[in-house]
Structures are given as structure tokens and as C-alpha cells.
Amino acid sequence: FHCCQIHGGMPLLKRIEAEREFYEHIPSIMVATEAAGEGINLQFCSLMVNYDLPWNPNRLEQRMGRIHRYKQKKEVMIFNLVASNTREGEVMELLLDKLKEMRTALGSDRVYDVIGEIIPAPSLDALMKDWLARRRTMSEILAEIELQTDEHQIARIRADMQDKALGSRYIDMSRLAHMVQQSKERRLMPEYIERFFIEAYRSFGGTISEIKGHKGLWTIGRVPPEIRQQSEAQERRYGKVGQVYPKLTFSKEQLGDYTDVEFVGPGHPLFEAVVERVLREFGPALRQGAVFYNADATEPTILWLIKSGVEDGRGQTAGERLFAVHYAAGRYRKSQPYALLDLKAPESPPALPDDLNAAAVDEDAAIEWSLDEVVAPYFGEIEGRRKRELAIKEKYVRKSLQFLISESNKKIAKYDAQLRQLPPGDDPNRLNIQGNRAKEEVRRNELTHRLAVRLAEIEQERHLSEKPPEILGVAVIMPLPAQVMAGVGGMQNDPEVEAIAVEEAKKYEIGQGRKVVSVEEENCGWDLTSLKGGEVDRYIEVKGRAGAGDVALTPNEWIKAQRFGEQYWLYVVANCKTKPELNLIQNPAAKLVPREEVSVVRYVVAQGEWRKAAVAGSSVEGTQEVGS
């Protein structure tokens, strides 16, 4: 074993080096004093031996928190060694036995969450000092600890834990799982964040480079002064931008067990500083609009970026989302903003027909359609969620505050009973009890007022209103010129072929006992969502070929394939116009090596490549391997 150490005589930098040394050498042992009890993250380690226990039980919990924390992947084992044949050991042994009893009584491993209530740290410290100073005998100290954990206290702590868990009893787990899945589908992928940041940062004169041999890890030697200059509000909200960033990443998965890598994304001061400058310098251009080419387009399309929001009665935002709305051939449809990622900017903007120009500036028509088809459904979604959340919130507020008011009333009644037993006059005991009663009455009035205020706030939060939809930007999307398309195999788009391919994919999924939901028009990065038992089983991208040949994936599709891994499937349907042949490829990002076709912003997979990775699909007989 490699051995390293941390103790109070070491400066901060030496401690950081020791932490890194402990991580880098496997196997390794760290020997540490209480100096390592907090402030360091050792979640890459899963075994702890406490051979000198602190008197303060909260310190023991803090020690455990060094390894039993976020990103710990293993079961944690902690051994507390006690020399039971010593006076101090007697106290520690009794304390640990009490924790074990409390765990059994509470029926929960959350005993360490309430350790301070079981044995208050100041009390234990004082008891140990009394023993050392010979002010109390050991038998008195042990009896005192016994008194700290009676049945009344156990009942009170259990009730408190039940109150805190009130919300969890009303969680709809299936709905929660659905929301998590939706969040995974809609969230800004790290790949998008990375791509945006690097391009924007470099456009402002910044230098960022990938660390050699460490894919996904980047370094910034010096942040330009103009990016570091922030408004006071920006700095107060997100923090100060650093001068250098030796190691940074845009993906949480890339953090691994590193302790010296900075995670950059929305909310990080550097990221927000770049966003703020982008909006300041390029915001007007976004609203002015732009023209793009789309390799899959068969007709001109107008795309609006529309922000929709919901506000509650307290003036707080209850929800906000960015939508994309497409308009083509007299028809509107809702889409996702991801559609912009698959477009190519022309070297010089082409001339647009007058009718297309007129439609692109007709914001009123786009907003009018959005009110019914985008804003109203989104408002209903937020309203339903808010209604469920506030019902739980109100129940918890009433239960918790009414319990505290009831406890306060009991104390006041107890003081009144004590006062009735005392003779009249200015007896010191009477004055003391009267003072305590007055304080408790003030506290009860504060609790009653707080209950009224919180219930009034909850009522205001129930009243929702739609915020006017706001158009943030507009784009005209044109089909690629024929001469460009002719030079790229696998790119010719035939709506009839695509429709046949999608029907073949649906037929196969239904034959396998799965339910299919089409999201073709939403530009999600896949065409079909396949459900099994009500849960997402597959994200399916369908590619159809009239005969055979190469297939092309958009940047959005390729990124989603990388992100969803085993859940993402590529269905290639060959010979669509004669005898459709379904080929299935699970996790195409791991099995295919496409060539990047920069001229059309696509990833092209050669026919031999996808055939080698595919298995044949039959809606009746299941799948069988295709020989390479």
C-alpha cells in the first residue's frame, strides 16, 4: 500500500497534494488527524476506520461525510474502534450502543441525521470535561447519557422525521419517472453547451484548447479582460470570473473522480459571462433573422423561436420554455429549437421570393397560432403540476405549524398551572414563570401569523396567468441547391420512401408488443418513441432507402445517439419501393464510424458500415443476425 497523510501542521496546498496523491496511487491508505474531518472530498474511497473517536458525535458524522457523499459509487464501510476497557471507551461504547438502539427504535438508518438531538454535542463535551475535572463520577455520566434517550424523545424524533417525509408519501413515482425521462430528452446536452461555448469564446479572442490525452477536458490559460468585466448584478448572481482555468469540462460524466476539474455550464460565472456578451453583441441579429439551408428540406420553411411563460399571483415565474414553430405551405407546426443545429449557413444569403419575405415578418400570425397550439397546452401542463405541488405544500404547512402552535399552547397551559400553585406576590419563581409564559405567548402569536401568511402566499401561488408569448428570433430555411446535393450520396430526401420506412418501423414495434409514439415533426433527434409497459424502451431514428446505399444522420441525431447509448436505435429500411427490408442497429454511436460531410452538415454512414452493424427485423419472428 502507498501511504499518505493529512494533519493540522500542513498548509492548505500540501493537504490538496495529499488528497490528490491518495487518489492517484492504488492501493493507498491515508492516515489523518481531525484536520481531515471536513473540507475534503474522498468519495473515491469507501473504507474508513475511526481509531480515535471524537467526543462530539456531530464530528463523527462529518468524518463519515468525507467518503459517504455525492458521486460515491460503492457501498461504504465504516469501522469505529473503541477501547472498551478505558473510562473514555465506556462513554463511547455506551454512545454507540445508544445510536444502535435509536436506529432500531426509529426503524431508519437516518439516525445520524438527528444525532445532535439524541446526544447534544455541548452536553457530551461538558460531561467529559466534568469527568476529567473529577466533578462527576463515571457512573453519574453514564446515567446522564441514559437519560438523554428516553421513549418520549424517540417518539418526538420519529414524529419529526415523519413530518419531514410528508411530501415523499404523496410523490407519484410513475409521474416522477416520466418527468425525469422528459428532462433527459429536453435538457441541453453537454455536447451543445460545449460546442456553443468554444465557438463563442474563441470569437471573442479567447484561447481554449483540449488537454492532450484527455478527451473532454479543456484548459484556458488566460481569460480576456473584456469577458472578465461583469456588471455588479451579474457578479452577485453567478460569482466572479477567474483569470485562468487549468482544467475544465462541460460534462458531469467527464468529472470522474477528479477533484481539480471545474464543471462549466449554465450558472457558472465564466459561461454566463460569455452568454451575456453573446446576447449583447448578437441579440439584435437574432431578432433580425437569418437564412439557412437544410439538406432534408423539400420546400422553404420559416422557423420562429418563441418564448412562452406562466406567472403566479405573487409575480413569480411558474414556468418558462423555448419553443420552435415552423411554417410551410400554409401550415404551422410545433417543433424543438434543436432544429437549428442541423442547418447550414450559406456563404452568401440567397434572394428570397416576396411572399416568403412577407411571411417571415408576419409575427402576429405566428403568435396568434401559438396562443392556441403552444401557450395553452403549456399553461395546462404548468397548472396541473402547480395544483398537485401546492396541495402537498399546504398540507405540510398546516400540519407542521399547527403542531408547533399546539406545542406552544401546551407550554402556556403548563405555565398557567404552575402559576396557580404558587402563592400570590412577587415571588422570584412566579416572575420567572410569568416571563417564560410571556415569551411563549409571543412565539405562539408569531407562529399563528406565520401560518396565516404562508397560507395566503399559497393561495396567491394558485392563481396563474399566461405571459404574452415573445418572439426571440426568426429563420428562413431553404432546401440545399441541387448541385450540392448531387455531390453527396445518401442525402436525397424522398417523402414517399421515408413514409414507407416509418410504417415498417411502426409495424415491427407493434409486432414486438410495444406502443409507438411518432415525434417526426418535432425535431427531437429521433422519429419514434417506443414504449414498453408505459415507459420509454427505445428512441428510434428511421432512415429509408428506395434501394440501398449510404444513410445520413443530422448533428442533432448523432448527438442524441451518443447521449442515449443503448436506448437509441437506428432503423434502416432498404428497398422501400419494392420489398422493404428492416435493419436494426442498437447504440449506433458505439458501432458506426461515419464521415462528417461538412458541405451539408451531416454524418454519412456508408452502406457497408451500417449493414455490418445491423440485425434484421421481422414484426412476427423478432430479430435475427445478418451475416457480414
Side-chain angles (χ1 to χ4, degrees):
F1 289 91
H2 178 82
C3 189
C4 51
Q5 61 181 329
I6 288 181
H7 57 78
M10 297 170 64
L12 179 61
L13 287 177
K14 287 288 185 184
R15 295 187 195 191
I16 294 172
E17 286 177 15
E19 186 181 337
R20 186 179 297 115
E21 183 185 347
F22 183 39
Y23 166 72
E24 290 176 350
H25 290 80
I26 298 175
S28 182
I29 293 174
M30 172 176 280
V31 181
T33 66
E34 190 64 28
E38 59 182 324
I40 63 171
N41 300 325
L42 305 175
Q43 59 267 51
F44 50 83
C45 170
S46 60
L47 174 64
M48 175 181 285
V49 178
N50 288 306
Y51 62 88
D52 184 14
L53 297 184
W55 291 348
N56 184 335
N58 291 304
R59 299 294 299 169
L60 185 61
E61 195 277 335
Q62 283 179 327
R63 288 186 186 184
M64 297 177 183
R66 299 312 93 219
I67 68 173
H68 189 247
R69 61 193 300 108
Y70 175 65
K71 290 201 297 184
Q72 173 59 261
K73 298 175 182 176
K74 300 178 182 177
E75 184 176 3
V76 170
M77 301 291 290
I78 296 174
F79 295 87
N80 297 313
L81 304 186
V82 178
S84 56
N85 60 340
T86 66
R87 289 302 194 187
E88 186 182 24
E90 283 186 70
V91 176
M92 289 298 176
E93 191 172 26
L94 181 61
L95 172 61
L96 293 172
D97 285 343
K98 284 290 141 191
L99 290 176
K100 190 185 296 183
E101 288 175 21
M102 187 65 73
R103 182 190 291 110
T104 303
L106 293 174
S108 169
D109 283 332
R110 290 181 56 201
V111 63
Y112 282 100
D113 293 352
V114 291
I115 193 171
E117 295 183 55
I118 298 169
I119 306 288
S123 300
L124 191 63
D125 275 349
L127 288 172
M128 295 301 291
K129 287 172 184 175
D130 282 351
W131 170 65
L132 289 170
R134 301 184 183 277
R135 287 192 290 268
R136 296 197 194 193
T137 65
M138 181 53 62
S139 58
E140 289 174 332
I141 289 171
L142 295 177
E144 183 77 21
I145 293 175
E146 288 282 1
L147 289 173
Q148 293 286 344
T149 52
D150 56 19
E151 290 183 8
H152 174 72
Q153 187 201 31
I154 291 173
R156 182 176 57 78
I157 291 173
R158 185 187 287 121
D160 183 54
M161 290 172 68
Q162 286 172 349
D163 280 348
K164 288 176 180 175
L166 177 70
S168 64
R169 294 205 303 272
Y170 295 93
I171 290 176
D172 182 343
M173 295 307 294
S174 61
R175 178 173 177 76
L176 182 62
H178 177 66
M179 289 171 67
V180 169
Q181 193 69 36
Q182 276 195 328
S183 175
K184 184 180 177 182
E185 293 171 3
R186 293 174 178 172
R187 75 185 178 96
L188 281 171
M189 301 293 185
E191 296 84 355
Y192 303 150
I193 299 291
E194 178 180 301
R195 189 167 150 189
F196 159 76
F197 180 88
I198 291 171
E199 188 174 339
Y201 185 76
R202 286 173 175 167
S203 74
F204 297 136
T207 302
I208 178 171
S209 53
E210 195 166 19
I211 298 174
K212 192 174 181 181
H214 297 277
K215 184 172 175 57
L217 291 183
W218 300 79
T219 182
I220 293 177
R222 178 178 171 274
V223 179
E226 52 271 26
I227 293 180
R228 293 206 310 272
Q229 290 173 359
Q230 301 168 270
S231 66
E232 188 178 332
Q234 183 94 349
E235 188 172 312
R236 188 165 56 248
R237 182 175 182 184
Y238 300 111
K240 196 175 182 66
V241 177
Q243 293 192 11
V244 296
Y245 292 89
K247 284 183 184 177
L248 63 89
T249 184
F250 302 93
S251 171
K252 286 183 180 178
E253 286 81 1
Q254 287 285 351
L255 285 174
D257 295 322
Y258 294 108
T259 57
D260 57 345
V261 177
E262 191 133 7
F263 175 56
V264 175
H268 187 279
L270 177 61
F271 184 85
E272 295 298 339
V274 171
V275 169
E276 194 275 334
R277 187 160 181 201
V278 166
L279 292 175
R280 187 172 68 244
E281 296 199 12
F282 303 115
L286 178 68
R287 188 64 188 263
Q288 181 182 342
V291 179
F292 295 98
Y293 285 133
N294 182 3
D296 293 334
T298 56
E299 60 185 352
T301 304
I302 300 167
L303 180 147
W304 283 279
L305 291 177
I306 298 180
K307 183 171 74 173
S308 179
V310 179
E311 193 174 65
D312 66 21
R314 299 181 66 190
Q316 297 176 335
T317 299
E320 201 169 63
R321 188 177 295 169
L322 182 67
F323 293 92
V325 171
H326 285 264
Y327 173 79
R331 174 178 169 265
Y332 289 94
R333 64 179 174 86
K334 188 174 72 172
S335 178
Q336 299 289 343
Y338 304 129
L340 286 168
L341 297 171
D342 300 335
L343 308 180
K344 180 177 177 59
E347 293 180 8
S348 57
L352 300 178
D354 292 340
D355 59 336
L356 198 59
N357 263 323
V361 297
D362 191 359
E363 294 185 354
D364 291 342
I367 287 178
E368 187 177 346
W369 182 87
S370 300
L371 286 170
D372 291 331
E373 303 298 328
V374 175
V375 177
Y378 181 58
F379 179 84
E381 178 187 330
I382 297 297
E383 187 178 40
R385 188 174 71 197
R386 177 59 67 98
K387 186 177 179 180
R388 288 187 297 272
E389 289 173 352
L390 289 181
I392 296 171
K393 192 174 181 179
E394 181 180 357
K395 191 164 188 174
Y396 177 76
V397 166
R398 286 186 185 277
K399 184 177 176 66
S400 58
L401 285 173
Q402 284 174 349
F403 171 79
L404 293 174
I405 292 169
S406 173
E407 290 292 298
S408 188
N409 283 328
K410 289 177 186 177
K411 287 183 180 180
I412 291 171
K414 185 181 76 171
Y415 292 138
D416 287 340
Q418 290 173 346
L419 288 171
R420 284 194 295 270
Q421 294 173 1
L422 293 174
D426 293 335
D427 179 84
N429 284 340
R430 174 179 287 277
L431 293 175
N432 185 44
I433 294 170
Q434 286 175 337
N436 289 338
R437 187 192 186 286
K439 288 179 184 176
E440 193 59 44
E441 196 164 9
V442 169
R443 181 171 181 270
R444 181 189 62 184
N445 293 339
E446 287 176 351
L447 290 169
T448 304
H449 176 69
R450 194 195 309 173
L451 176 59
V453 169
R454 292 298 295 118
L455 291 177
E457 287 175 350
I458 289 171
E459 193 57 38
Q460 286 179 314
E461 290 170 10
R462 280 198 174 94
H463 299 291
L464 301 177
S465 59
E466 297 172 354
K467 295 169 75 173
E470 179 185 356
I471 289 186
L472 301 182
V474 62
V476 174
I477 304 170
M478 303 289 290
L480 264 172
Q483 62 270 26
V484 177
M485 292 293 292
V488 185
M491 294 300 304
Q492 289 70 27
N493 188 27
D494 185 333
E496 183 186 349
V497 167
E498 292 298 323
I500 293 170
V502 168
E503 284 305 311
E504 284 295 315
K506 286 180 179 178
K507 189 165 63 175
Y508 172 78
E509 288 300 295
I510 293 169
Q512 295 294 313
R514 290 186 284 268
K515 180 182 177 182
V516 185
V517 178
S518 174
V519 292
E520 294 171 79
E521 292 192 337
E522 295 184 28
N523 295 102
C524 297
W526 65 93
D527 294 319
L528 305 174
T529 303
S530 185
L531 307 174
K532 189 174 184 179
E535 296 184 2
V536 174
D537 185 62
R538 300 181 178 192
Y539 297 102
I540 302 169
E541 175 58 30
V542 183
K543 297 295 178 183
R545 304 295 294 156
D550 303 346
V551 297
L553 296 167
T554 70
N556 189 29
E557 290 163 359
W558 186 245
I559 287 173
K560 291 289 169 57
Q562 293 173 315
R563 174 57 42 185
F564 290 123
E566 295 293 320
Q567 273 192 301
Y568 196 96
W569 291 71
L570 176 62
Y571 285 15
V572 182
V573 185
N575 306 314
C576 282
K577 291 193 173 181
T578 53
K579 187 179 180 181
E581 168 201 322
L582 179 61
N583 300 271
L584 316 180
I585 305 172
Q586 183 179 15
N587 195 2
K591 296 175 181 175
L592 304 177
V593 184
R595 70 177 188 273
E596 189 171 358
E597 190 60 56
V598 179
S599 61
V600 290
V601 196
R602 290 295 183 273
Y603 294 92
V604 179
V605 183
Q607 178 184 179
E609 180 86 12
W610 65 255
R611 281 199 179 278
K612 190 165 59 175
V615 294
S618 165
S619 58
V620 177
E621 299 172 358
T623 61
Q624 58 184 13
E625 294 289 339
V626 172
S628 58

